[in-house]
């Protein structure tokens, strides 16, 4: 399945886009998405860390990804 | 979201007095207010401006979670969390948190919890722009 | 007294925004504000009004001591303590404390220290007036 | 020596005046003043506690009182 991934802040600059599309197998988890992203966009490995949000909530490595989910890469936050 | 929680992300300037007025009530004995302001220097370097970006829908959700958790943990009356986005200059206000309560300890504790947690969980990012470059805060090891 | 400490006792209404504006600075990253407000009830009884009286010269001296001690204990930029006297009604503001600092922890710690110490040492007294009587707070065992 | 003692809050009500005058021997201390006050104005013994301020500062029991000092009875404070 094709998954659209939102990018913010430094990740948007690293990817040169506010979103990118990656191909995942059905039933993929967040950890598989992370591997795909790191391979396709090695720049994000320079981040001190990043999280994946699914439908506006923080996910864990084993969270399942479904077609149509709103996915986002969350680099270290720095609000306030 | 209810009438004891007020969450907002906005590109427009924040209004301190209006935020305080919203939280004040004759049921309350104390209000604690935290106002974040843009410093003109960080680690000895002059800051020209900050650029704030938010994942708005998720940020509002996380800020609402913080307000709800604070309301559950402490006996507070109202809690407001407003955060600004866009370009801000030294002296500008990126964030205001206001907590009213019958007793001051709850207001202080909840307000401090809110700003500490906001800085850890809310998807908002700032880029510091210096005379000779720029950096996304906290992004790199 | 110097230009980083602002102490006042006054029978006139306190102005929150003016107090905050005085403390704000592009050198600061955070401001903590405590606003005391008159509650409309205490221990289940309706409060009609409060009457505040101060030993003004000593109160100003004790408030200045608190501000100086806070400035010595924490790396803060400015501290303001204003207290009102006279007759106040529910929702009115008897006290405002504003602390600005480069980093928020110092502002929170100093502000809380200031209100906690004010309530222990500053010679100001309040009488609570109820529908059926009145009492000087804390006067009796 | 005659000493003027300022009264505030509940003490002003107990004494019916915003100041009273008491006679003390030269070289008297705060503890002696306290005894004289309690004898002359027994109502103040109903306070949960009180302090004596001399020239705008909290005193201790052995602080000396001098003619011309500004003396005040400080009942439990309740500002804020």
């Amino acid at each position: 399945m094709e998954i659209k991934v939102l990018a913010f802040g430094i990740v948007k600059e690293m990817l040169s886009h506010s979103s990118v599309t990656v191909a995942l197998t059905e039933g993929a988890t967040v950890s598989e998405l992370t591997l795909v992203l790191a391979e396709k966009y090695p720049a994000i490995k320079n981040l001190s860390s990043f999280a994946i949000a699914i439908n506006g909530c923080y996910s864990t490595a084993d969270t399942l990804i479904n077609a149509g989910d709103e996915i986002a890469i969350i680099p270290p936050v720095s609000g306030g | 979201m209810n009438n004891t929680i007020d969450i907002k992300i906005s590109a427009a300037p924040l209004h301190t007095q209006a935020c305080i007025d919203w939280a004040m009530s004759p049921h309350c004995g104390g209000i604690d207010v935290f106002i974040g302001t843009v410093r003109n220097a960080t680690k000895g370097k002059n800051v020209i401006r900050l650029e704030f970006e938010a994942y708005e829908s998720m940020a509002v959700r996380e800020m609402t979670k913080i307000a709800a958790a604070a309301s559950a943990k402490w006996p507070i009356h109202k809690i407001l969390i407003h955060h600004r986005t866009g370009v801000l200059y030294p002296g500008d206000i990126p964030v205001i948190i206001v907590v009213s309560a019958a007793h001051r300890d709850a207001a202080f504790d909840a307000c401090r919890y809110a700003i500490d947690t906001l800085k850890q969980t809310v998807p908002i990012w700032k880029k510091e722009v210096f005379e000779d470059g720029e950096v996304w805060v906290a992004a790199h090891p």
Side-chain angles (χ1 to χ4, degrees), chain B residues 24-106:
Chain B
M24 277 187 72
S25 153
H27 298 292
C28 292
I31 297 180
D32 193 41
V33 182
F34 176 75
I35 302 168
T37 53
V38 177
R39 283 179 71 198
N40 59 8
T42 183
K43 292 169 190 159
K45 292 184 72 172
N46 286 345
V47 171
I48 308 299
R49 64 176 186 274
L50 297 185
E51 297 177 11
F52 284 86
E53 182 177 342
Y55 178 11
E56 280 204 25
S57 60
M58 181 177 174
V60 166
R61 184 183 296 215
E62 288 293 328
M63 287 157 73
T64 305
K65 270 191 209 171
I66 291 170
S71 302
K73 285 166 78 83
W74 292 281
I76 63 176
H77 185 63
K78 288 184 168 185
I79 177 167
L80 172 151
I81 309 176
H82 286 188
H83 204 298
R84 202 174 159 191
T85 54
V87 177
L88 277 77
Y89 296 91
D92 286 351
I93 298 175
V95 63
I96 296 182
I97 299 175
V98 183
V99 182
S100 58
H103 301 287
R104 71 184 184 284
D105 285 343

Side-chain angles (χ1 to χ4, degrees), chain A residues 14-15 20-22 36-45 73:
Chain A
M14 286 171 162
L15 274 50
V20 294
T21 302
V22 296
V36 170
L37 286 169
E39 190 179 357
K40 195 166 174 185
Y41 306 103
I44 66 173
K45 289 187 282 192
I73 306 175

Side-chain angles (χ1 to χ4, degrees), chain A:
Chain A
M1 57 186 175
E2 296 283 300
I3 296 289
K4 179 178 163 189
V5 180
L6 305 178
F8 298 95
I10 192 170
V11 175
K12 188 163 67 180
E13 291 185 359
M14 286 171 162
L15 274 50
S16 304
H17 291 90
S18 61
S19 72
V20 294
T21 302
V22 296
L24 285 183
T25 54
E26 298 287 331
T29 62
V30 163
S31 66
E32 290 166 86
L33 170 64
T34 301
L35 289 174
V36 170
L37 286 169
E39 190 179 357
K40 195 166 174 185
Y41 306 103
I44 66 173
K45 289 187 282 192
N46 295 325
L47 293 169
S48 51
S49 69
F50 65 90
I52 299 294
I54 301 184
N55 299 323
C57 294
Y58 285 102
S59 67
T60 56
D62 59 357
T63 306
L64 286 175
I65 293 173
N66 296 301
D69 282 347
E70 180 172 304
I71 310 286
I73 306 175
I74 309 291
V77 304
S78 54

